[in-house]
Structure formats: C-alpha cells, structure tokens
Amino acid sequence: MKKIKLQALIEAAFFAAFALILDLLPSIQLGPWMSVSCAMLPIFILAFRWGFTVSVISGFIWGLLQVVTGDAYILNIVQFLIEYFVAFAFVGFAGLLYKQIQIAFFAEKRKAKGLILAVLAVFLGSIARYFWHFLAGVVFWAEYAPEGMSPVIYSLVVNGATMIGAAIFCSILIVLLLSAAPRLIQRKGFDIETNKTTTS
C-alpha cells in the first residue's frame, strides 16, 4: 500500500471538519426523517483532489466527528458502526473516478467531460453512502415505518429521496464551483504529460 502523504491526511481532517460544519447548518426538510444538505460537498472535493483512500479516511473522520459532537442517533453498536463509520466512509467512493476527472480537467482540458465525470462521482459516492443507511433502516428502524408499509419500502423511500436530493444539490454546487474554479481539485504532483499522479 502506498504511503499517504501528511498533506493528504491534514486535508482529510480539514474537509471532514468542514463537512461537519455544513451538516450543522439548517437543511431542506422533506419530512420527519428526510432532509437534504450539501454536507457531503467537502468530501467530494477531496475525492477529486486525492482519490479513493484519502476521501474514505475523511468520510470516516466526519462520522467520528458526528459522534463526538453528539449529532448522532444511536440505537445499538452495530447500527452505530454502520451509520456513522461505514456509511460516512463510503462517501469516499466518489474518489474512484479521481484519475479520470483529473485527466479530463488538467490533461485533456475538457471541462465539460470533467464536469460530467464529477457529477457521476457525486452520485456514486451518494449511492454508496445511502445504501448503508437504507440497510440500517430496514434492520434497525423498521418500527418507524407507517402501519401496513414494508420496512424495505419505507427505508427505500426515506433514504432514496434523501440520497437523490443530496446528490442533486451537491452536483449543482460541484458544477458551479468547478466551472468557476477547477483549481479547487488540482494539486501538486499530478503529471499531465503522463496522465499519472506522483506520490512520495
């Protein structure tokens, strides 16, 4: 496993803290258990800067900060681990498209392609995260389903609507930010001549 740079770890912690701050701001309420926010945005930006591993670490730290600050709903240890460590870490799956995004923006100079890839990455990270919330909803939050409604359908509706809303919101912001300032995701060490990143 390649050694992770200190700068990457510092940014992981910083962007996790930024995500927590955004999460504490008022969100768009779609229902009692459904709200849409742009809190994942910092993790996505980090994912486009550093890739999968660093963004997974940042998401994990964000989940930890949620618990430390008391902004967590804990039923039991398994639900706690799934929803505040596994789910938040999985936002980092957006980093799987990191190299393609870097190449599109900085090697090929094709901003439109880069923006499309960034939006796809946002949806990838969102789906990866909310899959675990959906699973937790079925297993641990079934009693909150309306009478006569399957817990699977209830969790799918609640988490699906939240995921789609958050992904669209974050996608709009990502497009606006990267259209105006693509350097937000550019970092020293990416070689546009070889389309490779250098690590130390």
Side-chain angles (χ1 to χ4, degrees), residues 111-148:
K111 184 182 286 187
K113 178 182 177 182
L115 292 174
I116 291 170
L117 287 168
V119 169
L120 288 175
V122 166
F123 273 84
L124 178 60
S126 300
I127 291 169
R129 173 189 172 181
Y130 280 96
F131 166 78
W132 292 102
H133 290 306
F134 160 74
L135 191 63
V138 173
V139 177
F140 302 108
W141 301 94
E143 64 184 272
Y144 292 92
E147 187 175 351

Side-chain angles (χ1 to χ4, degrees), residues 75-76 78-79 82-83 130-145 149-160:
L75 297 178
N76 57 58
V78 178
Q79 175 266 337
I82 289 175
E83 294 208 89
Y130 280 96
F131 166 78
W132 292 102
H133 290 306
F134 160 74
L135 191 63
V138 173
V139 177
F140 302 108
W141 301 94
E143 64 184 272
Y144 292 92
M149 179 181 282
S150 163
V152 174
I153 299 300
Y154 177 67
S155 185
L156 184 62
V157 170
V158 171
N159 290 294

Side-chain angles (χ1 to χ4, degrees), residues 43-55:
I43 311 300
F44 292 139
I45 293 173
L46 187 77
F48 305 158
R49 281 175 60 81
W50 287 98
F52 176 76
T53 303
V54 176
S55 53

